[in-house]
Amino acid sequence: MRLLLVEDSPRLIELVSETMHEAGWRLDAVSTLRDAEAAIASREHDLVLLDLGLPDGDGLGLLKWLRQEHAGLPVLIITARGSVDERIEGLDAGADDYLVKPFHHRELLSRCRAMLRRNPQAIQPVLEAGSLRYDPATADLTCGGEVVPLPPRERSLMEILMREVGRVVPKRRLETALSEYGQELSSNALELAVSRVRKKLQSLKTGVQIETVRGIGYLLRTNS
Amino acid sequence: MRLLLVEDSPRLIELVSETMHEAGWRLDAVSTLRDAEAAIASREHDLVLLDLGLPDGDGLGLLKWLRQEHAGLPVLIITARGSVDERIEGLDAGADDYLVKPFHHRELLSRCRAMLRRNPQAIQPVLEAGSLRYDPATADLTCGGEVVPLPPRERSLMEILMREVGRVVPKRRLETALSEYGQELSSNALELAVSRVRKKLQSLKTGVQIETVRGIGYLLRTNS
DNA sequence: GCCCGGCTGTCGAAATCCTGTCGGGAAAAG
DNA sequence: CTTTTCCCGACAGGATTTCGACAGCCGGGC
């Protein structure tokens, strides 16, 4: 589950980033409409959090474009413009929800959840492999009903591998997917994560293991 | 997964190459229509990225030829010609998608993914020869159910040979296919790989062997 | 503030695995 | 018969991968 935040205040970016991280979601932040458009075009995100007051223009224009080009993508407007007229304008432009600053981060979170719940396009089915299940919406990995707590990085890794069960995922792809927008991963961060996840998978009996495909990548395989 | 980029700007070639590498795909770049035609004729690629403005002519001509000769091959046009009419012209000529420069590399990536996803031809089926099977998804080579572990180079070799069972594959082609982006292979690396694979094929009873065609290349033949 | 615990990175060692070099020899071509 | 091409055993260097130990960071609780 990957969200896009369009916002130019570093403080707010930090706050939201924090919040989403806590929920087990990944957040990319951009500060301009131009970057936002590019990021959305990449179709990697499941939800957009849009601030209206941006340095290079008004977010409503982006929203209209977005409604034409990416109709199904849920958008939540975050803004200081709190009057009724302004709300109506935002929602009429195609936003799915509207949140006025300042807001409580827990409200943001639950609004996001609600949007993802009601938007069937964005709901990714629960992923399964062996006795493992991963729910992208709640970011819970469970093994036979019991939650397996995983730190963010390891969780992302599992999410990708489970989405491609039985198929090799190239290292390069895993690396870019695990890194937050832009940052490079350190040399062996991926291998570390794999190693750590492996150990956890082993201690539970998951019926699943991560195999190495030398020179290419990794592959989640169900013991059969 | 191997892509062909037809483009004459070195900068753009570099950018795209980077991007595709990140996705774990292989990219070959050519700068002229002539080279493009030759590359496509070799049928090594799963997707073509085509710039329209090339030094030796217009890409649309190539596209039309391509649609006749290689109907299933997905083509994405990359160009600065962004007007509606131009887009329509490109798509009508048989392009599967159309991307206007400048573009964000992540958008390119996801458009490629989308094309490959919807193009069933590019989803590589399991390859078979004799009692051998090679599954590109898991990178497993199996012989009668048992996995035959192969190092990367030998695996690539087998993959190519199996894709062309019964046909001679020129050494040159094998060499470029086995070499990582740019690097030359050492003098007899290919022969080494062939030799090593041969030994493995022999010890199993695969009903398959690699034959030498002197001065040309190799050929995988099923004993019959 | 201060400590604690969880997460992630660095370092480094070790194991494993891959692939090249070398070189003699076989086979085919001319 | 000579030349070219190819084959392949043995071996070594090097690349890749794994993982333990440990350190820094950061947020939360006291």
Side-chain angles (χ1 to χ4, degrees):
Chain A
M1 197 61 62
R2 195 153 184 165
L3 317 190
L4 179 69
L5 172 63
V6 188
E7 168 65 58
D8 63 324
S9 147
R11 273 213 6 75
L12 201 51
I13 289 179
E14 183 139 350
L15 172 71
V16 174
S17 162
E18 181 96 356
T19 308
M20 295 312 167
H21 241 229
E22 225 164 74
W25 295 332
R26 197 157 285 266
L27 181 87
D28 298 313
V30 295
S31 306
T32 64
L33 293 178
R34 175 188 313 280
D35 290 348
E37 197 171 324
I40 290 164
S42 78
R43 300 160 192 268
E44 290 174 10
H45 302 97
D46 306 294
L47 175 69
V48 177
L49 307 171
L50 177 62
D51 184 5
L52 291 186
L54 287 169
D56 64 337
D58 192 278
L60 287 179
L62 178 71
L63 183 51
K64 277 171 191 148
W65 165 79
L66 207 153
R67 273 294 158 259
Q68 295 193 328
E69 301 290 320
H70 306 270
L73 186 60
V75 175
L76 190 159
I77 288 181
I78 301 175
T79 178
R81 305 178 191 169
S83 80
V84 174
D85 286 347
E86 285 164 336
R87 285 169 186 260
I88 289 174
E89 188 182 6
L91 292 169
D92 282 353
D96 298 273
D97 202 348
Y98 198 102
L99 188 57
V100 178
K101 301 185 201 174
F103 56 86
H104 194 285
H105 67 103
R106 306 184 63 89
E107 177 174 4
L108 174 61
L109 200 52
S110 64
R111 280 182 185 274
C112 288
R113 264 203 260 276
M115 291 172 72
L116 292 170
R117 215 178 310 125
R118 97 174 74 98
N119 184 318
Q121 183 230 303
I123 292 181
Q124 296 156 349
V126 176
L127 303 168
E128 293 182 276
S131 62
L132 280 183
R133 311 177 107 248
Y134 182 82
D135 182 346
T138 60
D140 279 341
L141 181 71
T142 55
C143 172
E146 261 177 81
V147 175
V148 185
L150 280 189
R153 182 148 289 173
E154 295 167 31
R155 181 171 40 219
S156 302
L157 174 64
M158 277 310 286
E159 179 176 347
I160 299 168
L161 288 179
M162 289 188 70
R163 199 160 276 160
E164 311 268 341
V165 210
R167 270 172 294 169
V168 182
V169 186
K171 283 183 79 162
R172 283 307 299 266
R173 219 179 108 199
L174 288 172
E175 277 164 3
T176 44
L178 286 196
S179 64
E180 296 282 317
Y181 224 52
Q183 327 268 359
E184 272 296 303
L185 275 200
S186 72
S187 51
N188 65 347
L190 172 60
E191 285 148 32
L192 258 280
V194 168
S195 163
R196 284 166 178 158
V197 169
R198 268 212 259 247
K199 211 186 310 178
K200 284 169 193 166
L201 291 184
Q202 222 163 41
S203 68
L204 309 164
K205 286 171 200 149
T206 55
V208 150
Q209 61 191 349
I210 300 179
E211 286 183 12
T212 305
V213 183
R214 225 156 207 274
I216 304 183
Y218 293 94
L219 146 73
L220 191 70
R221 199 193 293 266
T222 60
N223 303 335
S224 57
Chain B
M1 202 59 68
R2 193 155 186 164
L3 317 190
L4 179 70
L5 172 63
V6 188
E7 168 65 57
D8 62 324
S9 147
R11 271 215 4 77
L12 201 51
I13 289 179
E14 180 138 355
L15 172 71
V16 174
S17 160
E18 182 91 0
T19 308
M20 294 312 166
H21 238 227
E22 220 165 78
W25 296 332
R26 191 172 290 256
L27 181 88
D28 298 315
V30 295
S31 306
T32 63
L33 293 178
R34 174 186 316 280
D35 290 347
E37 200 170 320
I40 290 164
S42 76
R43 295 165 181 273
E44 291 174 21
H45 303 98
D46 306 293
L47 175 69
V48 177
L49 306 172
L50 178 62
D51 184 5
L52 291 186
L54 288 169
D56 63 337
D58 193 278
L60 286 179
L62 178 71
L63 184 50
K64 276 169 192 151
W65 164 79
L66 207 153
R67 274 292 158 261
Q68 296 191 327
E69 302 291 321
H70 306 269
L73 187 60
V75 175
L76 190 159
I77 288 181
I78 299 176
T79 177
R81 306 177 190 169
S83 78
V84 174
D85 286 347
E86 285 163 338
R87 286 169 185 257
I88 290 174
E89 187 182 5
L91 292 168
D92 283 352
D96 298 273
D97 202 347
Y98 197 103
L99 187 57
V100 178
K101 299 185 203 175
F103 55 87
H104 194 283
H105 67 105
R106 306 180 72 93
E107 176 171 7
L108 173 62
L109 198 53
S110 66
R111 282 182 186 273
C112 288
R113 263 203 266 277
M115 290 173 73
L116 292 171
R117 214 179 308 124
R118 91 174 79 99
N119 183 353
Q121 182 227 296
I123 296 175
Q124 298 160 355
V126 176
L127 303 168
E128 294 182 278
S131 62
L132 278 184
R133 311 176 107 248
Y134 179 80
D135 183 347
T138 59
D140 278 341
L141 180 72
T142 53
C143 173
E146 262 178 81
V147 176
V148 186
L150 281 189
R153 184 153 288 175
E154 294 166 33
R155 183 171 43 219
S156 309
L157 174 64
M158 275 312 283
E159 180 176 346
I160 299 169
L161 290 178
M162 289 188 70
R163 196 161 281 158
E164 311 271 343
V165 210
R167 271 173 291 169
V168 183
V169 185
K171 283 183 81 161
R172 280 306 302 273
R173 215 183 112 197
L174 290 171
E175 276 164 4
T176 44
L178 290 196
S179 67
E180 280 302 305
Y181 188 63
Q183 326 272 355
E184 272 299 301
L185 275 200
S186 73
S187 50
N188 65 346
L190 173 59
E191 286 150 32
L192 258 279
V194 168
S195 158
R196 283 167 177 154
V197 169
R198 270 213 259 248
K199 208 189 312 178
K200 284 169 193 165
L201 292 184
Q202 221 163 42
S203 70
L204 309 163
K205 286 168 202 155
T206 56
V208 150
Q209 61 191 350
I210 299 178
E211 289 183 11
T212 305
V213 182
R214 223 152 209 276
I216 304 184
Y218 294 93
L219 144 75
L220 190 69
R221 194 194 296 269
T222 60
N223 303 336
S224 59

